[in-house]
Amino acid sequence: MSTGVETAEPVAVDAPEAVSDPDVPELHRSGPAVEADPTTTRRKGGSLRKHIGSVAGVLILGVLLWRLGTGVFLDGLRRVDGPTLLAGLGLGLLTTVFSAWRWCLVARGLRIRLPLGDAVADYYRALFLNAALPGGVLGDVHRAVRHGQSAGDVGRGVRAVVLERTAGQAVLVAVGAVVLLTLPSPVLGDARQLALVLAIVLVCGVVTAAAVRKGRASSGPSRRSGAARAALTEARGALLARGNWPGVLISSVVVLAGHLAMFLLAARVAGSHASATVLLPLALLALLAMGLPLNIGGWGPREGVMAWAFGAAGLGAGMGLSVAVIYGVLSFAAALPGVAVLVVRWVAALRRPREENAGGHDLCRASETAEVHASEVPLAGVASEAVGSVFAVTKEKYAPKASVSPARSSFPFSADAFEGRPMTPDSV
């Protein structure tokens, strides 16, 4: 007759015996120890998606090096001289100041304070981080978060940067569409066909959106539609308000003109003698390609599109790649003032805690000295009132400032007079 203990022993299966049993399926032998953690899987997938753009940029550059060789890259680098770098710095200053002004206008539309000087410095820092780090957008992310933190509203800070960049891209797409549909270029026929398809899709989309909106209006507003309307209202107020849209439009046009001028400068330095009418559509194609998040520090799609466009226009793929390389060097040189901004603010951040700690130490020492003197005063009769008034003045004068650490500034006892003498740590 079996007991409860005897039946409990086979339940605790020994791990090695279970693995060595050939009748047990492999899935059951593996047990829960080898099950994939869904959190780890999601993290790996997110990390892979973050690096897709950088990998794509590296692949594009690798294909160009394989087909055209390294001589084209080196030739483009050798053609950049001192006057060319100074011209690039000047054009970079123009585009950065007007981009920062556009950012200030959008921030004002969102009721966030942003001085122009601070905006220029932050924009230079963002441009350098975009050029130096993979992805090409990390500088803008840093700019958005830092401005939101300083303004006390990270959400509005992020939306201000998103709307500012959206305004610039909208003007680029509008000007690019007009130029590519009118001027001769390798994509003139394809651009017209694409424009016809987009027009049909746009009309269908407007009709569908109107029908859906009418159906939702009859059934009552939903939470999602209310949030979308609020976002559109905020964007319209930031970009299309009466006092904002002229400045946003002018600044975006000036920034686009500065980028096109830098492309023309790079073409002349590379040795291209094509007219501006021929080069303008090619430059707009490169700028549109630069908006794709498939680059490493801005390099990748720009070089690929320029090599293909110059080759299709009969100007030579090698010439297009040289122009793209020179443009990349000039863009990086135009962002170099961001290094000075990073260094200055890094030094200021290191110096600030030292000054705060020094100030807090002096205040604490003065407060402790005042308490010692106050405890030595006679504590009877009229002297008691004098001690209370002296200690009150001392408390108000040497109150802990914001720079003092919380552990020192929050004492667990009161300094008010009680029974003829002030409260001290000894009496507590």
Side-chain angles (χ1 to χ4, degrees), residues 198-218:
L198 289 179
I200 297 174
V201 172
L202 180 62
V203 172
C204 295
V206 170
V207 173
T208 304
V212 171
R213 183 177 182 181
K214 184 177 180 180
R216 288 181 177 178
S218 60

Side-chain angles (χ1 to χ4, degrees), residues 363-377 379 387 390-396 398-400 408-416 422-426:
L363 290 176
C364 291
R365 180 180 297 177
S367 178
E368 293 173 358
T369 305
E371 290 182 9
V372 171
H373 288 302
S375 62
E376 295 176 355
V377 181
L379 304 177
V387 171
V390 169
F391 194 86
V393 173
T394 303
K395 176 184 177 184
E396 180 179 359
Y398 297 99
R408 291 189 176 185
S409 60
S410 56
F411 290 101
F413 51 83
S414 174
D416 297 332
M423 296 292 290
T424 64
D426 297 333

Side-chain angles (χ1 to χ4, degrees), residues 17 20 26 64 74 89 97 101-102 164-165 195 200 217 221 228 256 287 344 352 364 370 384 410 414:
E17 295 180 359
S20 60
E26 188 66 24
L64 291 175
L74 298 178
L89 284 172
V97 170
W101 179 41
R102 180 176 63 195
E164 180 263 325
R165 292 300 301 268
I200 297 174
L256 178 58
L287 290 176
V344 169
R352 189 180 302 113
C364 291
S384 173
S410 56
S414 174

Side-chain angles (χ1 to χ4, degrees), residues 208-250:
T208 304
V212 171
R213 183 177 182 181
K214 184 177 180 180
R216 288 181 177 178
S218 60
S219 61
S222 62
R223 181 179 301 178
R224 182 175 299 178
S225 62
R229 284 196 298 269
L232 290 176
T233 302
E234 187 180 51
R236 185 169 58 249
L239 298 177
L240 302 178
R242 181 177 301 178
N244 266 19
W245 75 264
V248 172
L249 179 61
I250 292 173

Side-chain angles (χ1 to χ4, degrees), residues 88-418:
L89 284 172
L91 290 174
L93 177 63
L94 175 69
T95 57
T96 303
V97 170
F98 275 89
S99 297
W101 179 41
R102 180 176 63 195
W103 185 24
C104 292
L105 294 175
V106 175
R108 185 183 66 184
L110 295 178
R111 298 182 298 278
I112 304 178
R113 181 179 178 273
L114 180 61
L116 181 60
D118 295 342
V120 172
D122 291 343
Y123 221 103
Y124 262 120
R125 179 179 58 190
L127 289 176
F128 175 74
L129 293 178
N130 286 341
L133 298 177
V137 295
L138 295 180
D140 291 324
V141 174
H142 181 263
R143 170 166 64 101
V145 174
R146 288 296 299 270
H147 177 227
Q149 290 176 345
S150 63
D153 194 335
V154 178
R156 287 189 181 183
V158 172
R159 292 195 295 273
V161 173
V162 171
L163 292 175
E164 180 263 325
R165 292 300 301 268
T166 302
Q169 292 296 318
V171 172
L172 171 61
V173 171
V175 174
V178 173
V179 171
L180 294 177
L181 290 175
T182 55
L183 294 181
S185 68
V187 296
L188 180 59
D190 296 335
R192 290 178 177 178
Q193 294 179 2
L194 180 62
L196 179 61
V197 174
L198 289 179
I200 297 174
V201 172
L202 180 62
V203 172
C204 295
V206 170
V207 173
T208 304
V212 171
R213 183 177 182 181
K214 184 177 180 180
R216 288 181 177 178
S218 60
S219 61
S222 62
R223 181 179 301 178
R224 182 175 299 178
S225 62
R229 284 196 298 269
L232 290 176
T233 302
E234 187 180 51
R236 185 169 58 249
L239 298 177
L240 302 178
R242 181 177 301 178
N244 266 19
W245 75 264
V248 172
L249 179 61
I250 292 173
S251 60
S252 300
V253 171
V254 172
V255 171
L256 178 58
H259 291 318
L260 294 176
M262 189 172 292
F263 261 109
L264 295 178
L265 174 63
R268 294 294 179 257
V269 172
S272 176
H273 301 288
S275 63
T277 306
V278 175
L279 294 175
L280 186 60
L282 308 181
L284 286 170
L285 283 174
L287 290 176
L288 291 172
M290 290 172 59
L292 299 175
L294 303 174
N295 59 80
I296 175 169
W299 297 77
R302 176 184 60 212
E303 286 71 25
V305 169
M306 289 297 284
W308 169 82
F310 270 70
L315 302 176
M319 177 61 68
L321 183 56
S322 296
V323 173
V325 170
I326 295 174
Y327 181 87
V329 173
L330 294 180
S331 299
F332 187 79
L336 284 179
V339 180
V341 176
L342 284 173
V343 172
V344 169
R345 295 192 173 179
W346 178 64
V347 172
L350 290 179
R351 188 178 300 174
R352 189 180 302 113
R354 297 177 182 177
E355 295 176 354
E356 292 178 353
N357 291 335
H361 180 70
D362 294 338
L363 290 176
C364 291
R365 180 180 297 177
S367 178
E368 293 173 358
T369 305
E371 290 182 9
V372 171
H373 288 302
S375 62
E376 295 176 355
V377 181
L379 304 177
V382 180
S384 173
E385 299 178 359
V387 171
S389 61
V390 169
F391 194 86
V393 173
T394 303
K395 176 184 177 184
E396 180 179 359
K397 183 177 180 181
Y398 297 99
K401 302 299 187 294
S403 60
V404 183
S405 61
R408 291 189 176 185
S409 60
S410 56
F411 290 101
F413 51 83
S414 174
D416 297 332
F418 180 74

Side-chain angles (χ1 to χ4, degrees), residues 2-51:
S2 61
T3 61
V5 177
E6 293 176 353
T7 57
E9 289 179 357
V11 176
V13 180
D14 193 20
E17 295 180 359
V19 173
S20 60
D21 190 358
D23 297 331
V24 180
E26 188 66 24
L27 178 63
H28 296 284
R29 289 202 301 256
S30 59
V34 297
E35 292 182 357
D37 188 2
T39 305
T40 305
T41 305
R42 286 195 298 269
R43 290 177 180 176
K44 290 181 180 179
S47 178
L48 182 61
R49 286 192 297 269
K50 290 179 181 178
H51 296 288

